[in-house]
């Protein structure tokens, strides 16, 4: 099942994709995609609905982030060995956990704003985990039972702020639009092995990142279990699991986003994002 949120920014409605890829309106069934509607019983109820009985959405609506009112956006850093190498950083022996402000979340195809003063805005395509059942001190063997599904997250990052502004990475990761999510939430039953997904990103048609989730240092189950030791993961929380090599700061010479760039990224079975980079006028 593929769940979406569509419509004007800030006023998105819940929906799902039918077998033909058309958006069907779920607003007569649930009030949003998120929170209690991602609990296992709620997802089972939604699976029992015949999409043909739901109103079809005309045209090609804007897609918002497929999860509403995200409580936490938790990120894992340096989770691909070859990405750690390109950053000239040691490969971690435990997951590197940091937070990204939820105010950075935007739709998968919305413009990405280069903030005032930024000259090193960079890309990172990541597998996103969406929590379905509360997780607190879970073991890796039971962690996947707490996952509602998967999506795509672009962890947009300002490298000068990350490296030279002091403190934690959150400052470099949390500008408005630095967290495109979507296009949809694919429920876990449709992703039999989250460690076997091709993951890629292109800028202006040039392939920059090309990897597979099999090369993660810490897989999905271990990531969920590890984070749940330090905070309760709740339905609708999103975890960005790290990026493969090919980021702009790791290239020679370094390359960063500039106004007018077009970025396209995807993960096998989870869809694609496509956005334009725009200089924030403020």
């Amino acid at each position: 099942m593929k769940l979406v949120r569509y419509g004007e920014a800030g006023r998105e409605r819940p929906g799902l994709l039918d077998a033909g890829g058309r958006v069907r309106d779920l607003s007569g069934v649930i009030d949003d995609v998120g929170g209690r509607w991602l609990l296992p019983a709620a997802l089972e109820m939604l699976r029992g609905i015949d999409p043909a009985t739901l109103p079809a959405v005309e045209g090609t609506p804007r897609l918002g982030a497929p999860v509403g009112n995200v409580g936490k956006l938790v990120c894992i850093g340096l989770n691909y060995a070859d990405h750690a190498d390109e950053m000239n950083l040691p490969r971690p022996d435990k997951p590197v956990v940091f937070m990204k402000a939820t105010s950075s979340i935007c739709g998968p195809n919305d413009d990405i704003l280069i903030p005032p003063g930024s000259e090193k805005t960079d890309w990172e395509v990541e597998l996103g985990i969406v929590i379905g059942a509360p997780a607190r001190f879970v073991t890796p063997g039971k962690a996947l039972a707490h996952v509602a599904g998967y999506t795509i997250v672009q962890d947009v990052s300002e490298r000068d702020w990350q490296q030279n502004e002091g403190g934690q990475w959150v400052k470099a990761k949390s500008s408005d639009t630095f967290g495109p999510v979507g296009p949809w939430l694919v429920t876990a039953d449709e992703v039999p092995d989250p460690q076997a997904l091709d993951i890629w990103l292109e800028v202006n048609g040039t392939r920059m990142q090309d990897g597979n989730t099999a090369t993660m240092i810490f897989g999905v189950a271990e990531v969920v279990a590890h984070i749940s030791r330090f905070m309760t993961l709740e339905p609708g929380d999103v975890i960005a699991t790290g990026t493969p090599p090919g980021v702009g700061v790791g290239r020679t010479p370094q390359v960063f986003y500039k106004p007018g760039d077009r970025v396209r990224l995807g993960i096998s079975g989870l869809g694609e994002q496509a956005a334009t980079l725009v200089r924030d006028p403020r």
Side-chain angles (χ1 to χ4, degrees), residues 50-280:
D50 179 358
T53 65
L54 299 171
V57 178
E58 298 300 325
T60 306
R62 170 192 172 270
L63 295 180
V67 183
N69 297 312
V70 174
K72 293 188 285 295
L73 179 50
V74 189
C75 301
I76 303 297
L78 305 174
N79 198 24
Y80 289 73
D82 35 11
H83 173 57
D85 294 346
E86 75 173 347
M87 298 294 285
N88 294 313
L89 293 169
R91 299 179 183 185
D93 56 5
K94 295 180 181 179
V96 176
V97 180
F98 63 95
M99 308 295 285
K100 191 175 176 92
T102 57
S103 57
S104 70
I105 294 173
C106 65
N109 305 315
D110 293 346
D111 288 347
I112 298 172
L113 302 178
I114 300 175
S118 169
E119 299 298 333
K120 294 185 177 182
T121 298
D122 203 350
W123 52 82
E124 294 189 11
V125 56
E126 309 201 2
L127 172 67
I129 305 166
V130 181
I131 297 298
R136 182 171 180 264
F137 292 100
V138 300
T139 63
K142 295 183 178 179
L144 294 185
H146 296 261
V147 175
Y150 302 92
T151 190
I152 303 171
V153 178
Q154 189 186 168
D155 177 20
V156 184
S157 306
E158 214 300 336
R159 300 303 185 186
D160 183 61
W161 301 353
Q162 184 176 6
Q163 296 169 348
N164 299 315
E165 284 292 333
Q168 299 181 348
W169 290 353
V170 64
K171 291 189 289 187
K173 304 278 190 170
S174 295
S175 296
D176 291 350
T177 74
F178 269 27
V181 181
W184 40 71
L185 188 169
V186 181
T187 51
D189 57 298
E190 294 194 7
V191 186
D193 185 359
Q195 306 307 148
L197 304 175
D198 291 330
I199 179 170
W200 56 271
L201 179 145
E202 297 177 350
V203 178
N204 299 327
T206 299
R207 184 66 57 104
M208 297 295 191
Q209 294 184 270
D210 204 352
N212 189 283
T213 57
T215 63
M216 283 182 180
I217 300 172
F218 308 103
V220 168
E222 191 168 1
V223 163
V224 172
H226 181 80
I227 296 172
S228 78
R229 290 178 53 202
F230 306 102
M231 66 190 82
T232 299
L233 292 169
E234 300 170 317
D237 286 348
V238 177
I239 303 169
T241 57
T243 197
V247 296
V249 72
R251 305 179 79 86
T252 304
Q254 293 180 341
V255 182
F256 300 105
Y257 279 141
K258 59 186 183 299
D261 282 350
R262 286 284 295 169
V263 58
R264 182 169 161 261
L265 56 147
I267 300 178
S268 54
L270 303 185
E272 296 184 9
Q273 299 183 7
T276 301
L277 277 293
V278 176
R279 175 69 70 177
D280 191 323

